[in-house]
Amino acid sequence: MECTTRLENGFTVIALCGEVDLHFSPKAREIILKHLQDKNHVLVDLSDVTYIDSSGVASLVEGFQHARTHDLKFALLGVSKAAMQILQLSRLDKVFPIITHAAEADQL
Amino acid sequence: MSHAAQNPGLHPALRFVEDIGRKTVAAIEELGYVASMLAESCYWLIFGHRQQQPVRLRNIIAETMRIGVHAIPIISIICLAIGVMMAIQGIQTLKTFGAESKVIVGIAISITREFAPLIVSIMVAGRSGSAITARIGTMLESQEIDALRVIGINPARYITAPLLLAMMISIPALTVLGDFMGLLGGGLYCIIELKITLAIYFERCAAALSWTDISQGLIKSLAFAAIIALVSVSNGFQVRGGAEGVGRATTRSVVMSLTFIVIVDMIFTYFLNFA
Amino acid sequence: MPAAENSEYAIEVQHLDAHYGERQILHDVSLNVHHGEIMVIMGGSGSGKSTLLRHLLGLNIPTRGSITLLGQDLARNSEAEMFELRRKMGVAFQGGALFGSMTVEENVVLPLCEHTELDEKTMRIMGRMKLEVVNLAEFGDLMPSELSGGMIKRAALARAIVMDPRLLFFDEPSAGLDPVAAVELDELILRLRQAMNITIVVVTHELESAFKIADRITVLDQGAILMTDSVEAVRNSDNPRIQSLLNRLPRDDAIDADEYLERLTGI
Ligand SMILES: Nc1ncnc2c1ncn2[C@@H]1O[C@H](COP(=O)(O)OP(=O)(O)O)[C@@H](O)[C@H]1O
Ligand SMILES: [Mg+2]
């Protein structure tokens, strides 16, 4: 369950993978917030995430909120169908900017 | 179902004996229940952290506020009044011997050894003991206790242990307050009647008192605290039968607490003075 | 999806007998629930539904038989194993059983506080997300006593799902609700299963609700299982007791005159 980060298109792409659950989400949260505190625009890549629970989603929410208050860009990338359903349950799919390719990040 | 109905053919005298036997068994059962509750609370207080299920400081503080801090005004007033009454009665009685100046010794010793812990405990039993029983009984009836258990929160850890600890903190602390307010009350009357200053009054109190007087009171107050906590919690957990059951348990809880407090007080007083 | 459970069924109940004191309430109840299934336990009032549920939750100990949740036998589980298992199950009680001394939001967050080491902010967001799911977002700061019946049930549901459980138990979701609120709650249950793939056990005496949400229905009558089958099969069953339940007819057993007289006169 290692996160990899890469720079792309002026964004820091944080690729989460495996199960983002109660054990892993504190770490994911820390990484996301750290990059935002360094004033980076952030894309969170969920393509390799097999399962995300609400603690994972809560970490994304916190990141997004932080980005908005600090005028940074934040979006989700590669949201799987299962993850999308979790987001839809609390209508967060209408809140997060969600893109399918890193290239689309320009339009954010 | 009444017990008598189970054995309709029994001779009344035998039925009476049977009834006593049944009640004795019930009492021993209840004692066992209380003992296991005490053991379980102590277990969680000591080992809870290691199990990752600590007794929450927040709960302890909340209970201490309710039991102790909120009782400060009423305890102060009552103990002050008791002090005044003791001074009045003492001076009246001792006047006949021309020994009214000795009243201070009497006040100082009886307040610290007896009245402060007793009055404080009686007040807390009436004020908080009943509330605790009612609260737990209501939680039981509304399935809140079940909800705790299915969440994985042990009620002994979450409810009993904080209450026990809060009680053991609050009652001795209130007793110290009661000591002071009682002495003050006595003093207020003495400065008028005996024409002495409050400073001299407290000086004489200090001379009359030894640490054992105060510690006797505090030891008792600890015992009373345990009685109130265990009696009120165990009665709460035994509530059956809706709102009416809660009412019955509340009454039983207060009566039981007071009875045990007075009996234990008598036993303690005997042993602390003669043994 | 979290690691697949190694057992075939999410819930297995075998030959369960239960008593309150001397009185036997459940008679040889056996029941299996698949992973991700919505099982509705249906039966008249007093048929033992809540009692069965209490046993499934490990609140009561059966006199005979075994209960296995997510592959773990409740009777053989240690305290610590039980504690772990409880993280994976959520329960919404009939009356809500919200803690009266806490706000709605504190109620919802409580399981997280007790089971996780998450940051407080994360917990709060999770709690609010669940309140959002059950449409109570604006009511987090209210006390339970300030909520209506339907809101209490939804708040209880939010608390039950805050840990993203694998098993969800729901006692009488629609009892005491107006029809609109009841339908909303049914839809919510269906949405939850779809999004989170939870195994859900619902206890109810409401036929419409049962038919709407169930994958399978178990019909309980006087403490025994009459049948466990699909909605269609239950609807079309020719068992007279089930038919009378479906048609809301009162009980119509044959009466043994001797026994009946004995009950009345006590002789
Ligand atoms: N705590 C209890 N003590 C004794 N009997 C009970 C208790 N709870 C329920 N019962 C009895 O068990 C039977 C089944 O009750 P219950 O499981 O609540 O039925 P349901 O939920 O289907 O209405 C009823 O006859 C009821 O009187
Ligand atoms: Mg019921």
Side-chain angles (χ1 to χ4, degrees), chain C residues 80-196:
Chain C
E81 284 168 328
M82 211 52 214
F83 184 68
E84 279 304 306
L85 182 58
R86 294 213 180 279
R87 301 171 63 127
K88 299 182 200 147
M89 41 199 279
V91 186
F93 284 95
Q94 187 162 353
L98 298 175
F99 302 114
S101 56
M102 301 178 190
T103 66
V104 171
E105 188 178 313
E106 284 166 347
N107 262 285
V108 174
V109 172
L110 184 70
L112 293 172
C113 297
E114 292 298 325
H115 282 285
T116 72
E117 306 276 303
L118 294 173
D119 189 88
E120 204 162 308
K121 219 165 163 190
T122 312
M123 289 194 217
R124 207 162 49 225
I125 294 175
M126 288 170 74
R128 290 188 182 164
M129 268 165 52
K130 299 300 179 183
L131 284 174
E132 209 48 79
V133 172
V134 300
N135 262 324
L136 282 180
E138 301 100 85
F139 302 99
D141 291 332
L142 294 191
M143 300 304 281
S145 56
E146 297 169 298
L147 300 184
S148 72
M151 288 156 92
I152 286 180
K153 299 231 181 207
R154 282 184 281 147
L157 182 58
R159 183 176 70 187
I161 59 173
V162 76
M163 296 276 298
D164 294 326
R166 309 277 304 117
L167 296 177
L168 175 65
F169 299 88
F170 208 148
D171 197 0
E172 302 278 9
S174 38
L177 296 189
D178 62 85
V180 178
V183 168
E184 273 175 8
L185 210 52
D186 287 343
E187 261 154 25
L188 189 54
I189 291 172
L190 287 172
R191 270 204 300 143
L192 279 179
R193 194 266 302 267
Q194 158 130 54
M196 297 162 76

Side-chain angles (χ1 to χ4, degrees), chain A residues 19 22-23 25-26 29 50-55 57-59 61-62 82 85-86 88-92, chain C residues 1-3 87 112 116 118-119 121-122 125-126 129-130 132-133 135 161-164 191-192 194-196:
Chain A
E19 295 178 5
L22 289 174
H23 298 291
S25 57
R29 168 180 184 268
T50 52
Y51 171 79
I52 184 164
D53 74 358
S54 29
S55 68
V57 176
S59 305
V61 170
E62 212 180 328
Q85 283 189 326
I86 297 284
Q88 276 165 351
L89 195 59
S90 41
R91 294 185 299 239
L92 280 167
Chain C
M1 206 66 23
R87 301 171 63 127
L112 293 172
T116 72
L118 294 173
D119 189 88
K121 219 165 163 190
T122 312
I125 294 175
M126 288 170 74
M129 268 165 52
K130 299 300 179 183
E132 209 48 79
V133 172
N135 262 324
I161 59 173
V162 76
M163 296 276 298
D164 294 326
R191 270 204 300 143
L192 279 179
Q194 158 130 54
M196 297 162 76

